[in-house]
Amino acid sequence: MEMEPAIRARGLRRAFGDLRAVDGIDLDVPRGTIFAILGPNGAGKTTLLRILATLTRADAGEARVMGHDLAHEPDKVRAAIAMTGQFASLDEDLTGRENLVMLARLWGFGWRAARQRAAELLAAFDLSDAARKQVKDYSGGMRRRLDIAASLIVTPGVLFLDEPTTGLDPSARAGVWRLIRGLAAEGVTILLTTQYLEEADQLASRIAVIDHGRKIAEGTSRELKAQTGSGVLHVTPLDPGNRAIALGILGETAQADPEGARLSVPVADDTEAAAHLARLAEAGIRLAEFSLGAPSLDEVFFALTGKEAA
Amino acid sequence: MSAPLPQGPRPAPPSPASTSLTFAWRAVLKFKHVPEQLFDLVMTPIMFTLLFTFIFGGALAGSSTAYLQWFIPGILVQTTVFNTVYSGMGLSTDLSKGLFDRFRSLPIWSLAPFAGLMVGDMLRHTIAGAIILGIGLALGYRPEAGLPGILASFALLLAIGFGWGWIFIVLGLVVRTPMTVMTLGFAVLFPVTFASNIMVDPATMPGWLQAFVAVNPVSLMTTALRALMAGTAGWGEIGRALLAPAILTALLAPLVLWLYRRR
């Protein structure tokens, strides 16, 4: 029997008054993959996630999650998913340990097994030292870790993560990324939303770009980048003093990287890139480094929506 | 971080009773971690008891001690009714923090979080009632029916708290902020408790107000509680006291379920 995808959605719609938060979205998320929903604030990402997690009812459309129909078997869907929302879904007055014991009990663990599972999760998430502290005294990073731990009491088929790294410092963000990759490696399907193009690029095997409740593009990071139809040549002159001359040779579309010595110029293909390199060589400008890359997702987003990404 | 996923098989889903028990445990933990909430619960009624007993008591009933006999059952009803506001505030807080989203995404009996709230409420009503009664006893209040009267009274108080609790659970589900729930709650409860027979015998009130006081559910509950404490209660009085809680439950419980599922 062929395995159904983890998520299959068709024509999902949800309006709040006049606002069409989700306006006809189809989605296929294969099992065991990381799938990113990328879009600016207010694009409808959270509503889409909440619909798939049975928290918000769709006005129209249908979806199956881990083989169960969202509208007709919500309890079976709930048994197969876990969701970590954008705002900590924890009891702030309780300790980290008590939060996890409570949730383990709600998943059906006995008291002893619930305490055991809570201890395992606290250790796995490096929270053992804070186990007896009330959650309101946790830092943002600790809170997010506990919130994700709370979604892993049992192994979910699909884990929904709504902007999992928003508001985290770079090291906490890197930790969450490692965690997400680790879970995917264990076979958990992950559907995450993000405003960070880099995050989607780093984590997801497929990305859906959402704007105004509609899916405006979908594909692998590479495919999305290819949709702009061009690449970028990056060069770093060996002698930083030559940057201005090199910039002149590369032409009007070239840009200097504000922080480094690197110069970038959009090119249609490899032939054009080679021509640029040849002209630099003719002028006697030696290069420390050069590379031909796809455009960044920022550039892709701009090309798709005509707007700067949030 | 080491591997966070569980090794063993999933446990069987919990029964509704076990789930409700877990939510009740949460309510008990709240008392442990936020003991100051008790202060909020009993501050006002203690102040009322002292003010009314010593300042107005003599004028209203001839002596402070005589007034206590009249007032303590009333203030117990008032305390319980006012404290139902807090469950609505707690619910509103949970909703604004996203905690209920977590509960709703779990495969559990969908009314369990409310059952848990109710259990927490019962606990709150019992503790607050016990403190007020204790102060009353210390000041010289003597219920004629003794311990059985007190136990029966507390059973009635819990039924009253259960019924009125639905009002504020509905508000908690509809209103965005906990503070608004409180403000709305007090706006309704102050007139309803003052225009009752809790503090004074309504005989001196104008006729139109007497007519309201006579049918005010708070009066009916207070009358029944006085009778239970005095050992003179009949089924009629108890039935009339339970009428409002029963109607509120019948009307609002389905509404709560509908509001909760619709969100």
Side-chain angles (χ1 to χ4, degrees):
Chain A
M1 193 183 88
E2 197 187 325
M3 289 263 266
E4 248 190 90
I7 299 170
R8 165 166 290 169
R10 292 292 175 269
L12 289 181
R13 280 174 205 281
R14 173 68 202 234
F16 298 102
D18 287 341
L19 175 73
R20 293 183 191 164
V22 172
D23 196 12
I25 285 185
D26 298 344
L27 214 57
D28 286 282
V29 179
R31 295 194 182 209
T33 60
I34 304 179
F35 193 104
I37 296 173
L38 175 66
N41 248 334
K45 305 187 296 291
T46 299
T47 307
L48 177 59
L49 220 60
R50 291 178 61 88
I51 290 173
L52 294 171
T54 75
L55 294 174
T56 297
R57 207 179 282 268
D59 294 333
E62 53 183 30
R64 296 174 72 78
V65 177
M66 295 307 278
H68 303 295
D69 186 86
L70 210 56
H72 300 110
E73 306 167 292
D75 263 337
K76 288 194 174 150
V77 172
R78 288 181 194 125
I81 61 164
M83 162 129 180
T84 296
Q86 207 169 330
F87 306 104
S89 34
L90 301 162
D91 191 325
E92 306 252 315
D93 293 327
L94 269 50
T95 66
R97 183 170 170 272
E98 287 164 349
N99 267 287
L100 294 179
V101 171
M102 171 175 74
L103 290 167
R105 291 273 309 147
L106 295 177
W107 276 106
F109 285 86
W111 285 105
R112 181 197 296 266
R115 282 193 292 267
Q116 167 78 25
R117 183 71 193 121
E120 286 168 14
L121 282 166
L122 288 164
F125 282 82
D126 205 11
L127 289 167
S128 297
D129 291 343
R132 287 167 194 281
K133 266 209 261 182
Q134 281 174 276
V135 172
K136 63 178 167 210
D137 297 327
Y138 277 32
S139 72
M142 289 161 71
R143 207 174 277 241
R144 195 57 58 94
R145 292 211 297 279
L146 184 64
D147 213 349
I148 296 178
S151 294
L152 300 175
I153 304 274
V154 299
T155 306
V158 182
L159 176 61
F160 296 100
L161 298 170
D162 196 7
E163 304 205 4
T165 64
T166 297
L168 297 188
D169 63 42
S171 90
R173 173 179 297 182
V176 171
W177 283 3
R178 267 200 307 280
L179 173 69
I180 291 172
R181 290 197 190 98
L183 290 172
E186 302 256 350
V188 178
T189 306
I190 292 167
L191 181 63
L192 61 89
T193 69
T194 181
Q195 298 187 42
Y196 302 119
L197 307 160
E198 190 201 354
E199 184 159 276
D201 196 9
Q202 285 277 330
L203 289 175
S205 55
R206 281 185 84 75
I207 300 167
V209 186
I210 308 256
D211 195 37
H212 291 106
R214 292 173 171 276
K215 185 165 79 179
I216 55 173
E218 188 191 320
T220 62
S221 173
R222 187 185 297 264
E223 284 166 355
L224 286 179
K225 288 170 176 174
Q227 284 195 18
T228 57
S230 63
V232 180
L233 173 68
H234 306 286
V235 299
T236 311
L238 191 59
D239 177 0
N242 282 337
R243 285 178 65 205
I245 306 168
L247 202 58
I249 291 169
L250 291 173
E252 283 180 358
T253 52
Q255 285 185 321
D257 192 75
E259 297 141 43
R262 198 168 81 155
L263 309 172
S264 305
V265 61
V267 292
D269 52 29
D270 54 335
T271 319
E272 195 185 336
H276 278 303
L277 291 173
R279 277 200 297 282
L280 289 171
E282 266 170 45
I285 295 174
R286 305 274 313 278
L287 299 178
E289 188 182 34
F290 69 90
S291 64
L292 184 61
S296 74
L297 274 169
D298 281 291
E299 289 159 319
V300 171
F301 199 86
F302 187 74
L304 292 171
T305 66
K307 286 188 309 201
E308 294 287 341
Chain B
M1 290 182 202
S2 53
L5 293 177
Q7 300 308 312
R10 265 188 194 213
S15 67
S18 148
T19 304
S20 304
L21 191 69
T22 303
F23 281 105
W25 177 66
R26 170 175 176 242
V28 175
L29 287 175
K30 287 259 189 195
F31 270 104
K32 187 178 126 200
H33 289 298
V34 200
E36 58 271 28
Q37 63 171 300
L38 264 183
F39 184 75
D40 293 340
L41 296 181
V42 295
M43 236 295 283
T44 319
I46 288 176
M47 212 172 63
F48 265 67
T49 306
L50 296 178
L51 278 176
F52 274 80
T53 304
F54 292 111
I55 297 177
F56 304 122
L60 290 170
S63 76
S64 298
T65 324
Y67 186 67
L68 269 177
Q69 293 300 118
W70 169 263
F71 186 62
I72 289 295
I75 192 71
L76 284 172
V77 170
Q78 182 178 324
T79 304
T80 305
V81 168
F82 268 83
N83 283 349
T84 55
V85 176
Y86 289 97
S87 64
M89 285 174 67
L91 176 62
S92 181
T93 308
D94 286 350
L95 290 169
S96 66
K97 292 269 168 56
L99 185 59
F100 258 65
D101 280 350
R102 163 95 50 205
F103 295 152
R104 288 176 63 219
S105 69
L106 292 172
I108 53 174
W109 180 45
S110 54
L111 273 182
F114 296 105
L117 269 182
M118 288 294 192
V119 174
D121 280 4
M122 298 301 116
L123 204 64
R124 234 194 316 258
H125 296 319
T126 308
I127 294 173
I131 291 175
I132 298 301
L133 180 67
I135 289 175
L137 290 172
L139 293 175
Y141 172 64
R142 293 292 175 266
E144 293 86 342
L147 190 63
I150 291 175
L151 292 178
S153 298
F154 271 64
L156 180 63
L157 283 176
L158 291 185
I160 291 169
F162 180 84
W164 283 70
W166 294 108
I167 300 180
F168 295 97
I169 288 180
V170 169
L171 278 180
L173 281 168
V174 186
V175 176
R176 271 171 204 282
T177 62
M179 277 310 285
T180 315
V181 173
M182 188 169 88
T183 312
L184 274 175
F186 288 174
V188 175
L189 291 181
F190 262 105
V192 177
T193 49
F194 269 81
S196 76
N197 59 3
I198 287 182
M199 286 124 197
V200 294
D201 187 337
T204 59
M205 295 179 190
W208 57 268
L209 189 56
Q210 280 193 39
F212 174 76
V213 170
V215 295
N216 183 348
V218 173
S219 305
L220 299 176
M221 295 187 281
T222 305
T223 305
L225 208 72
R226 281 188 185 124
L228 283 172
M229 288 288 202
T232 60
W235 288 112
E237 280 158 327
I238 295 173
R240 279 191 293 279
L242 289 174
L243 198 59
I247 291 174
L248 286 169
T249 304
L251 288 180
L252 299 183
L255 179 64
V256 163
L257 198 56
W258 181 76
L259 283 170
Y260 179 63
R261 293 209 167 128
R262 191 194 61 130
R263 281 176 64 91

